Structures are given as structure tokens and as C-alpha cells.
Amino acid sequence: MTWVTSAEFVAAVSNAGGMGVLGPNAGQTEKATSAEDMADRLTQEIRKVKALTNKPFAVNYIFPMGGATEDPFTNAVFDVLVKENVKNVIAIGLNVVDRELKRLKEQDIKVVYRDLSPTVEKLVEAEKSGVDALIVTGYEAGGHMSDYKISTFSLVPQITSLVKIPVIAAGGIIDGRGAKAALSMGAEGVYMGTRFIVTKENPASMETKKAIIKVKSEEFIEFKSGTGHLRTIPTEAGKKALELINLGKPAEAYKYYGEGFKIGMLDGDLVNGTVSVSESAGGIQQILTCQEVIDEIVKPSDEDLKIFFLQFDTDQIRINLIQPGPIQTNIVTKALSEKAIEERAQQVPIKRLGQSQEVANLALFLASDEASYITGAHHELMEDCL
């Protein structure tokens, strides 16, 4: 999301129920002239976010790469985080840098780690290093893609079966169906970029948003860049870069894609820039608000609402909500006393089947041998969901 985040956009995501992330060059139209200049700009964006929302947000934190143990820009970002009391970062790198992780944790900053070229082994090691959560990014993602062509839905279940910290799935997820699929494989959240570029609050050019809606998944072009692979809508600059890469001229190719993100995505120049997004962009049909995007993701489908399972020790209660709409008493239960159900409901966690926790909580109810009913508060909330 280089160039296409801003305080206004991040606050809109957070206010809608997600957690917005300030990316590199957030809110800017020109590159910073120095680490100090970048720090000043980031400080202003953080303060704008705080003025627009009281909800959690995060800042991208790029670990030093290429064998370096520290970086002046990373140091500048760290100083801003401490000064502005930011407590969440999305740390990006090719491996976890112990020095960076240690000083972030010393400031009680939550570190969600996103490896640029993830493998099972690297992410298991990242957990051992002490990060708080993992973003598991498949090859379907936009931006600079992994060196390993491992899909999101190949990688996520392998990781969730091996680690204990939260896993957040990324790459190719643009709606509630993709999010539900990720949750079913053990992920506890999703990290989405491409879908949010095509929102009203995102600073990307309107021409860029229209191009993303128009593109078909089979039309993208890919080539090896300086960091991983790069996928772009077939702009003239992208085509030229691909040609030069194939001719063995990577340095010349860089002239066409090196500054391409800003030119293509922020400025909307679809001739001289690149538009690097997920191949799932072919499924995006319209420009929505951040609230509309998130509402679609978390709203339960009719199928979600049909069956909930609660595990109360060895007793299982099955709730059948067959008809969407005003709630009827379509509930089949085992014969359990009201008191027993109330006691067990306080002790045993709900088994989640991909729906939001709020919706899962609707399944708490009271029942007896003769009658089944939902409490008034749950009745109202269920109607709102339907």
C-alpha cells in the first residue's frame, strides 16, 4: 500500500471496525528528502488519525534488509512511534531482526510480522522470535510478491496447524467469502489491500480505481523485480519493464517500475506507471466506502444463520434458524434444564464456525423441556443481522 494510505483512509477503516494501517509515504504526494523529513510527515499523519478516530490503528515498520542491522529510516520511524505513543505495528521484512523486535517490545508495542517471502519454516521461526501475530501472505497478493509461488490457501492451513499465536491471512481476499474461507483454515483475521484501494476514502486516483474494476484476472503481467515478483495491470510501463527483464536488462527495467507505484496508483498515469494489485481484482465490481466493505465481510450469510453449535460438556444443543427474517421458535434442543444451560453457558466457550463472535453470541439462549425461546436482547440483535 505504498503511496495509497492516508490518515483519513486509515481512520475510515478503523471507524468501520477494521484496523487501518499507515503505509510508506502515507498522505504524501512527493518522496521525503531525508529520514528526518519522513519522520515529520509521519508524525503529522499519526496525529491526524488520532484526531479522526479513537479506535486502534497501526503503522508499517520496515525491518532493515540486505544484511543491514539498522537503517536510518527505520530508526526515525521507531522514534516517532515512541514519541506519539503508537502501540501497534505491521513489521515487514525478509526475516525478524532481533534488535528491532527487542526495542519495540520494550516499548510495549504489539508486533504483527509480515514476511515478504514467507515459507512455513520462516514463519515458525518468527513465532519463536517473539512476535505477537503473523500475517501469512500468499502469492495472490498485490505489491511486491513472494519469491515463492505459494498460494494463500496452501500456506495458511500449514501455518495455523504449527503455531499458537494468531494468524492473519493475506493475499487474494476481497470479500466475506474469502474471509470465511480463511477463518475456516484457522486464521483469526484477514489483511486486505486491493479491495480497500477501491474505496471512496482511499487516496488512489479515480482512474486507477476504475482500471482495477475493469481489469480481468487473466490480463495481469508479472516479472521479477528487485524484491520478489511484481504483478501489474498491463500498463505501457509495465509491458516495457517485462520486455527488458526478459532481455536480461533489470537495471533498465527498474526505470519503468521503480517509481511506478506512485505514478500509476496515486497519480493515475496508466501509461507511465504501474498498478500492482492482487489478481483477485477481477472480482471487484464497484467503488464502496470502507464501512460498506467491512459490513459485507462481517455480515453473516443466510447459511451462517441456519445452524449454530454450542458445546456444553457432553451435551450439544443444535439451533436451527431455517427461515431468514423475524425470528420464530425454530429451535430443537436436548432436554436440559434452564439452570443447567445457564451454568454451562457461563463456563464453556462457543465453538465458532466462521461467523463473527457477535453473531455467535446470539446462540446463547435459555431452554426447557416444554419450551424453547431466545431472550429479548438476542431476538433484537438477530433481527438486525437479518
Side-chain angles (χ1 to χ4, degrees):
M1 299 285 280
T2 300
W3 293 107
V4 286
T5 66
S6 66
E8 293 79 7
F9 167 68
V10 167
V13 172
S14 292
N15 284 331
M19 186 166 78
V21 182
L22 284 173
N25 304 306
Q28 307 305 311
T29 58
E30 299 294 338
K31 290 180 67 174
T33 58
S34 64
E36 292 75 17
D37 181 33
M38 181 275 298
D40 289 341
R41 297 182 185 193
L42 178 59
T43 297
Q44 294 306 311
E45 288 300 302
I46 290 171
R47 291 176 180 176
K48 287 180 189 177
V49 174
K50 290 183 175 181
L52 293 168
T53 185
N54 60 0
K55 303 294 178 61
F57 70 96
V59 172
N60 272 153
Y61 191 85
I62 302 175
F63 284 155
M65 288 182 269
T69 56
E70 63 177 298
D71 179 90
F73 282 86
T74 303
N75 289 339
V77 172
F78 176 80
D79 291 341
V80 171
L81 296 176
V82 174
K83 178 182 176 183
E84 299 301 318
N85 197 33
V86 175
K87 292 301 182 183
N88 303 293
V89 299
I90 308 298
I92 302 168
L94 292 171
N95 59 275
V96 176
V97 178
D98 291 337
R99 171 185 178 273
E100 297 296 338
L101 180 61
K102 182 176 184 292
R103 66 176 181 170
L104 288 168
K105 300 296 285 182
E106 286 174 348
Q107 297 296 324
D108 294 322
I109 294 172
K110 296 295 183 184
V111 180
V112 180
Y113 177 63
R114 182 188 181 200
D115 197 290
L116 289 174
S117 284
T119 64
V120 172
E121 291 76 15
K122 288 175 73 176
L123 294 177
V124 168
E125 286 302 310
E127 180 191 36
K128 292 177 181 177
S129 73
V131 300
D132 296 289
L134 296 169
I135 294 176
V136 178
T137 308
Y139 193 74
E140 302 95 321
H144 288 286
M145 293 126 47
S146 171
D147 279 325
Y148 306 101
K149 296 185 178 183
I150 310 173
S151 72
T152 302
F153 296 111
S154 294
L155 197 54
V156 168
Q158 294 186 67
I159 301 303
T160 57
S161 67
L162 293 173
V163 303
K164 295 181 180 180
I165 60 176
V167 168
I168 301 162
I173 301 169
I174 60 169
D175 58 20
R177 294 171 298 177
K180 187 196 298 184
L183 294 177
S184 73
M185 291 185 289
E188 296 192 29
V190 293
Y191 187 69
M192 298 167 61
T194 297
R195 172 64 265 197
F196 280 97
I197 294 173
V198 193
T199 56
K200 293 179 180 178
E201 298 92 341
N202 189 273
S205 164
M206 181 57 68
E207 292 303 313
T208 300
K209 295 175 186 180
K210 291 178 180 177
I212 294 172
I213 291 173
K214 183 179 178 180
V215 73
K216 297 177 182 179
S217 294
E218 66 269 22
E219 294 175 340
F220 284 99
I221 58 176
E222 295 181 13
F223 51 84
K224 184 74 170 67
S225 69
T227 303
H229 292 78
L230 189 145
R231 177 191 302 110
T232 178
I233 286 174
T235 63
E236 292 305 313
K239 292 176 185 177
K240 187 64 176 179
L242 176 61
E243 177 186 341
L244 290 168
I245 291 289
N246 289 338
L247 291 173
K249 300 178 179 179
E252 290 185 43
Y254 184 79
K255 298 175 185 177
Y256 291 91
Y257 73 81
E259 299 295 331
F261 278 25
K262 175 186 178 296
I263 296 170
M265 301 184 76
L266 187 65
D267 300 341
D269 183 342
L270 303 181
V271 174
N272 298 303
T274 53
V275 178
S276 183
V277 291
S278 169
E279 60 192 6
S280 64
I284 298 174
Q285 303 299 320
Q286 58 183 322
I287 301 171
L288 301 174
T289 65
C290 292
Q291 187 70 64
E292 289 170 331
V293 171
I294 291 177
D295 285 348
E296 188 279 328
I297 293 169
V298 301
K299 180 182 178 181
S301 67
D302 291 346
E303 190 66 30
D304 288 331
L305 291 171
K306 286 181 181 177
I307 299 175
F308 291 100
F309 285 98
L310 299 185
Q311 296 291 345
F312 293 135
D313 299 333
T314 59
D315 298 305
Q316 185 180 80
I317 301 171
R318 181 179 183 183
I319 306 175
N320 293 300
L321 302 174
I322 304 301
Q323 299 296 329
I327 301 303
Q328 308 297 324
T329 55
N330 297 321
I331 300 175
V332 180
T333 74
K334 287 189 175 182
L336 293 171
S337 71
E338 289 184 19
K339 183 177 180 182
I341 291 177
E342 287 185 72
E343 289 176 350
R344 291 171 183 173
Q346 299 296 321
Q347 299 170 359
V348 183
I350 294 169
K351 180 180 180 181
R352 298 175 61 183
L353 298 179
Q355 71 277 9
S356 68
Q357 186 65 47
E358 182 180 54
V359 176
N361 284 337
L362 297 177
L364 288 175
F365 67 98
L366 305 176
S368 68
D369 294 11
E370 293 78 26
S372 300
Y373 57 93
I374 297 177
T375 64
H378 291 153
H379 186 289
E380 293 175 6
L381 186 51
M382 181 68 84
E383 287 187 322
D384 287 343
C385 289
L386 293 174

